[in-house]
Amino acid sequence: MASSIGLRFSSQRAPLLLRPVAARHYSQPRHDHFAINEYGLLSNGLPVPWRYRPSIFSRAGLEATKTQLVGKLKSVFALVTLKYHLAGWKAGAFATQAEVFSDTMNESFAEGDYKTLSSLCYPSMAASLKNDIKRRKTRLDWRKVRTVSSPRVVLMTCGRLSSVLTVGEVIVRIDQEQSAVPAATRNQALAKPVRVTEYVVFHRVISDPASPWRIFCKLGVPKWDPAYQK
């Protein structure tokens, strides 16, 4: 029985409005902490590659170009802001770590390890994954077979929500072959590798040195992505 953990999550989201959540998290050290608030997606959407945009000589093309240029400027501003608050931050290194982070989440989801999921994800996503685990009613043996293409940061956004609160958002494209079988079978040879492409959204209160990066949600693969499947 082959399955794809990445495709079985029900935690993919469309953009959300800014909304606080009542959950609270105390980071170390205890004297320096913020409540974990979920502010929704800060970005307006993934950047569309030039070859998939309407002709620049059309009205739609002009609007798309304007939107992309504004997005590019915001991304440059976000990069500067991230480097200002997080010394030594680099997109390439972050993408590599993000894939490991995502793998840990997939493995924890397969094993039904809600405690680890709660430490990796924002509260609403962790709760959604917990519901998925309850509906599944069985543990899985999940494996990453291989990385199809290197993980990469596709979008960076930062939002200053108050004089002391700045949130960073980084979206990473992760492209892998994965496999999963019921843990009871203990036979990965029965699992057929499935390609799984995901856009994973990470959030962090970058103005708080004690705040960790967490997974906020996963976005659906856009139609222009070569890995898109109907």
Side-chain angles (χ1 to χ4, degrees), residues 50-201:
W50 284 101
R51 63 182 178 276
Y52 296 112
R53 299 177 198 171
S55 170
I56 195 172
F57 299 106
S58 66
R59 178 174 295 181
L62 286 173
E63 288 297 324
T65 299
K66 179 181 177 181
T67 299
Q68 295 296 322
L69 288 176
V70 170
K72 183 66 175 179
L73 290 174
K74 288 183 178 179
S75 188
V76 171
F77 170 77
L79 178 60
V80 172
T81 304
L82 285 166
K83 287 181 175 292
Y84 173 79
H85 287 283
L86 308 173
W89 191 90
K90 295 182 179 180
F94 181 88
T96 299
Q97 295 170 359
E99 182 175 30
V100 175
F101 203 92
S102 180
D103 290 346
T104 303
M105 183 188 67
N106 285 338
E107 186 174 7
S108 300
F109 175 73
E111 295 176 351
D113 183 357
Y114 179 68
K115 182 177 180 180
T116 299
L117 289 174
S118 297
S119 68
L120 298 175
C121 306
Y122 271 81
S124 60
M125 183 169 185
S128 180
L129 294 177
K130 183 178 182 180
N131 290 333
D132 288 347
I133 290 171
K134 288 181 178 180
R135 287 193 293 268
R136 190 181 68 210
K137 297 180 181 179
T138 183
R139 290 178 58 250
L140 298 173
D141 182 10
W142 175 88
R143 300 285 175 86
K144 179 181 76 174
V145 178
R146 69 185 182 97
T147 296
V148 177
S149 59
S150 299
R152 59 185 175 87
V153 171
V154 297
L155 189 64
M156 298 168 287
T157 311
C158 287
R160 188 176 182 184
L161 306 180
S162 72
S163 60
V164 295
L165 181 63
T166 302
V167 176
E169 174 180 287
V170 180
I171 303 178
V172 180
R173 182 184 187 272
I174 298 175
D175 189 14
Q176 301 177 335
E177 281 188 355
Q178 304 175 2
S179 67
V181 294
T185 66
R186 298 182 181 276
N187 188 357
Q188 272 286 335
L190 298 176
K192 180 181 178 181
V194 177
R195 182 174 179 178
V196 179
T197 304
E198 300 176 307
Y199 287 78
V200 186
V201 182

